[in-house]
Amino acid sequence: MSDVCNIGVAVPGHEYEVAIGAGVTGRIGAAAAATGARRVALVTHPQLAQRFPAAVEALAGAGLDVIELFMDEGERAKSWSTVGGFLERCAQAEMHRDDLVVGLGGGVVTDTAGFTAATFLRGVRWMSCPTTVLGAIDAAVGGKTGVNLTAGKNLAGTFWQPSAVFVDTSTFASLPPREVRAGLAEAVKCGWIADPAILDEVASWGTAVDLATLAATEGALTSVVTRGIAVKAAVVARDERESGLRAILNYGHTLGHALETACGYTLSHGEAISVGMVFAAEMSALRGMLDRAAVDRHRDLLAGLGLPVAVPRADLDAAVPLLRRDKKASDDLRFVLLEGPARPVLVDDVDAATIDAALAAVST
Ligand SMILES: NC(=O)c1ccc[n+]([C@@H]2O[C@H](COP(=O)([O-])OP(=O)(O)OC[C@H]3O[C@@H](n4cnc5c(N)ncnc54)[C@H](O)[C@@H]3O)[C@@H](O)[C@H]2O)c1
């Protein structure tokens, strides 16, 4: 195994570590056995279980009884009925209070696994092995678990922190470029709100990044992913329940969520927040908080990753009425803006003219 980096997530009363490195999945057996669990419910997609057998091998090798809980791919499977089926299976397998749930997959899997753990027997421990860049940087850390409802994404869920996270960077090699891009949009967000070294590293990759090669190159994504996780860990440790600071993680997300919905999810989350970040940067500049060079840098970095920095006006027009319906926004329309790199501020008094001008700047 190559170098492993450990990041502590210091959520008060629920501290845990994220291990990051090629091959770290192999560690889950000992970690799971050390909890005293005898059975482990492994939530994953069948094709990921096949592609990454290390988790099952490590768990079984540590003498644990593994119950495989397979779910379909895609958002539709992150559902109430999937979790209901898993809970029945956990009960049939006579899992106890001390047993464990493990999620192996992207954010769809880890959100579902975490919610299964949070609800079985009123809460059992869980661990996650994220296999996407987005899953590692965003979904696996912070304890938000849940499922989608017919009315919208992530409308049911709980805060339920994992006991450990294993980010095996070797799993990124098989990710399609679109998934790498989606995760890197969140990494760029972490760069702007808290850690500009991420921006420098992404800039060092050039202006037309070959994402397939990047993902397949051992260790190439490790530093950016590690830094992104460190940003998320630091924020959620200070504000687990999104009562204040955690909202900065929504940089680019107010317009981004509205665009995703308005476009019927033809834009991925990463693509939508890419446009959302440029929009937020434009608003920051229009209010005199951010210099033009920083706005241009948003465009350069995101476009270099193949992410959109503008969308057709019709899509924006469809998104605007949804801005106020973003469940993460409070009653007033609130934006995360920037006063500079690593200087995010929450602003709820943006006037309509500024919003219009910023929309025009991200319209094709
Ligand atoms: N809990 C949180 O704080 C949080 C934060 C951000 C996002 N999310 C959730 O995460 C979900 C999105 O996660 P995602 O972007 O990881 O999508 P995803 O889980 O749907 O994974 C994307 C695709 O990649 C495949 N895949 C996963 N790992 C792979 C690998 N290593 N190689 C090849 N293919 C692989 C999956 O099977 C899937 O088809 C959304 O449901 C979102 O709501 C949660």
Side-chain angles (χ1 to χ4, degrees):
M1 199 186 326
S2 57
D3 288 351
V4 174
C5 174
N6 290 296
I7 293 179
V9 187
V11 173
H14 302 278
E15 295 81 3
Y16 53 98
E17 289 218 327
V18 184
I20 306 153
V24 292
T25 313
R27 296 183 170 199
I28 198 167
T35 67
R38 287 176 45 224
R39 296 178 188 80
V40 177
L42 178 74
V43 176
T44 190
H45 303 308
Q47 59 278 28
L48 292 184
Q50 222 169 25
R51 184 174 278 150
F52 305 124
V56 173
E57 285 167 10
L59 292 165
L64 292 150
D65 199 358
V66 180
I67 301 131
E68 287 181 317
L69 301 180
F70 289 142
M71 62 188 289
D72 291 338
E73 285 185 294
E75 284 294 330
R76 284 163 75 88
K78 196 177 104 176
S79 69
W80 201 250
S81 68
T82 298
V83 170
F86 287 171
L87 293 172
E88 294 289 355
R89 292 273 312 281
C90 290
Q92 281 158 12
E94 297 184 5
M95 281 180 64
H96 293 175
R97 190 73 195 80
D98 291 339
D99 289 332
L100 192 71
V101 175
V102 169
L104 170 74
V108 160
V109 163
T110 54
D111 276 9
T112 309
F115 193 51
T116 303
T119 44
F120 186 62
L121 300 178
R122 299 189 183 84
V124 298
R125 283 169 294 187
W126 75 291
M127 295 180 178
S128 92
C129 301
T131 60
T132 62
V133 176
L134 185 109
I137 294 180
D138 206 354
V141 175
K144 277 191 186 176
T145 74
V147 294
N148 303 320
L149 300 183
T150 313
K153 273 178 74 174
N154 300 325
L155 291 185
T158 61
F159 288 94
W160 192 247
Q161 300 292 339
S163 306
V165 180
F166 300 89
V167 178
D168 189 337
T169 51
S170 66
T171 62
F172 299 153
S174 52
L175 281 174
R178 195 173 192 213
E179 303 300 340
V180 180
R181 193 175 287 129
L184 291 176
E186 293 287 352
V188 168
K189 176 202 77 180
C190 291
W192 282 113
I193 62 169
D195 183 1
I198 293 175
L199 306 177
D200 296 338
E201 180 147 356
V202 171
S204 77
W205 295 340
T207 51
V209 186
D210 176 350
L211 295 171
T213 305
L214 191 73
T217 306
E218 162 108 25
L221 289 168
T222 305
S223 150
V224 160
V225 167
T226 304
R227 284 182 171 278
I229 291 171
V231 169
K232 177 120 192 223
V235 172
V236 300
R238 286 172 59 197
D239 178 19
E240 183 192 11
R241 305 268 163 152
E242 202 165 323
S243 47
L245 180 75
R246 191 164 175 164
I248 67 170
L249 294 169
N250 294 331
Y251 183 58
H253 283 55
T254 307
L255 180 65
H257 281 144
L259 264 178
E260 266 186 287
T261 311
C263 298
Y265 297 96
T266 51
L267 275 183
S268 74
H269 179 71
E271 289 161 352
I273 67 157
S274 174
V275 178
M277 283 190 274
V278 179
F279 170 73
E282 285 284 356
M283 277 197 295
S284 307
L286 285 161
R287 287 169 63 100
M289 297 159 55
L290 190 67
D291 60 37
R292 264 290 128 201
V295 184
D296 294 342
R297 194 167 197 224
H298 274 75
R299 287 199 171 83
D300 293 346
L301 291 173
L302 294 164
L305 295 171
L307 286 158
V309 293
V311 286
R313 183 74 214 194
D315 292 343
L316 294 168
D317 289 342
V320 167
L322 305 176
L323 283 175
R324 282 182 198 277
R325 280 196 258 151
D326 177 2
K327 75 179 159 57
K328 289 186 178 171
S330 50
D331 290 346
D332 287 324
L333 197 46
R334 175 180 284 186
F335 294 102
V336 184
L337 301 186
L338 287 181
E339 288 180 327
R343 290 173 59 206
V345 277
L346 294 179
V347 174
D348 54 17
D349 65 345
V350 184
D351 59 66
T354 304
I355 294 175
D356 280 347
L359 287 171
V362 294
S363 149
T364 50

